[in-house]
Amino acid sequence: MFSTLESNYKSDNASSNDLESSAWNQFFLKYDCCAVHEVNGTTNDFDNTPWCTTSGSCQDTSSQIPRTCCKDVTLNNYTSAPSNCHASVNRGTYKQNCMDPLKKLSVNNIEEYQLSLLSFSLLFPIILQVIEITIVIVLMFPRCYGSVNEN
């Protein structure tokens, strides 16, 4: 995950034509997180991204983290994120890393999946019994189901 961010992140514009950067920014906004590892200041996961090394506001030194990483920003207002967040990277102004929300999502999905399996495993024997009882009834009482020859 980190290598993908480091190799492909080129813009902090959430609606840029660069689909990978846009996807990262949308992810940061949707899951209220920033980067893969915890941001601890101006040295962070974005330092070696194309956004910081070849192009973008990080490379221009006007940002140290994406504006989409700032607390309380949305898709509608991230472009006006406070500079003390993205330029100065002051503690308490930016979001937590994205690993914690991902872990929670995977745990929730696993738990939901396990619950589905558990429900099915509990219901399956009951379903088999109902099928078995239905077959026995049909075989024992064929007249009720129109399979007897009438003379």
Side-chain angles (χ1 to χ4, degrees):
M1 188 170 160
F2 172 69
S3 62
T4 302
L5 175 75
E6 191 174 50
S7 302
N8 301 307
Y9 191 81
K10 298 175 182 135
S11 171
D12 69 344
N13 183 343
S15 54
S16 75
N17 290 333
D18 175 25
L19 297 178
E20 290 174 340
S21 297
S22 182
W24 275 107
N25 288 307
Q26 297 278 341
F27 186 82
F28 297 156
L29 290 167
K30 181 174 182 165
Y31 293 101
D32 205 25
C33 65
C34 178
V36 176
H37 305 100
E38 196 67 43
V39 172
N40 289 315
T42 56
T43 302
N44 54 63
D45 286 356
F46 300 98
D47 291 345
N48 295 317
T49 64
W51 178 65
C52 282
T53 59
T54 58
S55 63
S57 56
C58 179
Q59 198 267 338
D60 296 338
T61 67
S62 59
S63 290
Q64 298 296 315
I65 61 172
R67 294 169 289 169
T68 53
C69 284
C70 295
K71 280 188 175 180
D72 302 321
V73 298
T74 65
L75 186 58
N76 296 325
N77 70 3
Y78 76 92
T79 56
S80 59
S83 63
N84 70 332
C85 169
H86 66 91
S88 305
V89 193
N90 291 317
R91 188 169 293 285
T93 63
Y94 50 86
K95 302 170 184 174
Q96 68 175 353
N97 71 62
C98 292
M99 290 309 292
D100 292 333
L102 278 176
K103 287 177 186 173
K104 287 178 186 170
L105 284 172
S106 73
V107 167
N108 288 342
N109 287 336
I110 289 170
E111 286 174 357
E112 288 174 17
Y113 175 72
Q114 288 171 335
L115 284 175
S116 296
L117 284 178
L118 178 63
S119 297
F120 180 74
S121 66
L122 291 174
L123 287 175
F124 189 69
I126 295 169
I127 293 169
L128 284 178
Q129 275 188 320
V130 168
I131 291 170
E132 184 180 324
I133 291 169
T134 304
I135 291 171
V136 168
I137 291 172
V138 168
L139 291 175
M140 289 181 70
F141 302 101
R143 290 182 189 199
C144 297
Y145 297 98
S147 61
V148 176
N149 293 332
E150 295 182 22
N151 292 331

